[in-house]
């Protein structure tokens, strides 16, 4: 009998397929955020809202934070 792949395995397979298909960093970021929010939706309602709010950062906000952290490390 074949073993059923785990959700984590499917996620990583999808992630690497996105990388190989030439998607932009923003598309990959959005796909990961969407997947995380989907996982949050499986929690009880009160927890799901708190969980999903962690993944509301836009790509431009993410880039700014990344650049800021990189600049802080250079100093």
């Amino acid at each position: 009998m074949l073993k059923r792949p785990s959700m984590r395995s499917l996620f990583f397979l999808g992630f690497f397929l996105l990388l190989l298909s030439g998607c932009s960093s923003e598309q990959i970021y959005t796909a990961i955020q969407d997947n995380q929010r989907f996982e949050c939706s499986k929690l009880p309602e009160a927890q799901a809202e708190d969980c999903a709010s962690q993944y509301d950062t836009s790509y431009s906000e993410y880039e700014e934070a990344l650049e800021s952290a990189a600049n802080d490390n250079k100093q």
Side-chain angles (χ1 to χ4, degrees), residues 26-43:
E26 184 172 1
Q27 289 170 318
I28 294 169
Y29 177 84
T30 301
I32 292 170
Q33 294 290 85
D34 289 344
N35 184 62
Q36 293 298 326
R37 282 190 290 272
F38 174 74
E39 290 299 316
C40 291
S41 71
K42 296 177 182 178
L43 298 171

Side-chain angles (χ1 to χ4, degrees), residues 12-61:
F12 284 116
L13 175 63
F15 177 75
F16 286 114
L17 288 175
L18 282 173
L19 286 176
L20 292 175
S21 69
C23 290
S24 71
S25 297
E26 184 172 1
Q27 289 170 318
I28 294 169
Y29 177 84
T30 301
I32 292 170
Q33 294 290 85
D34 289 344
N35 184 62
Q36 293 298 326
R37 282 190 290 272
F38 174 74
E39 290 299 316
C40 291
S41 71
K42 296 177 182 178
L43 298 171
E45 189 174 338
Q47 291 175 333
E49 291 174 13
D50 290 340
C51 178
S53 70
Q54 298 175 49
Y55 304 104
D56 287 340
T57 305
S58 70
Y59 185 72
S60 60
E61 292 170 325

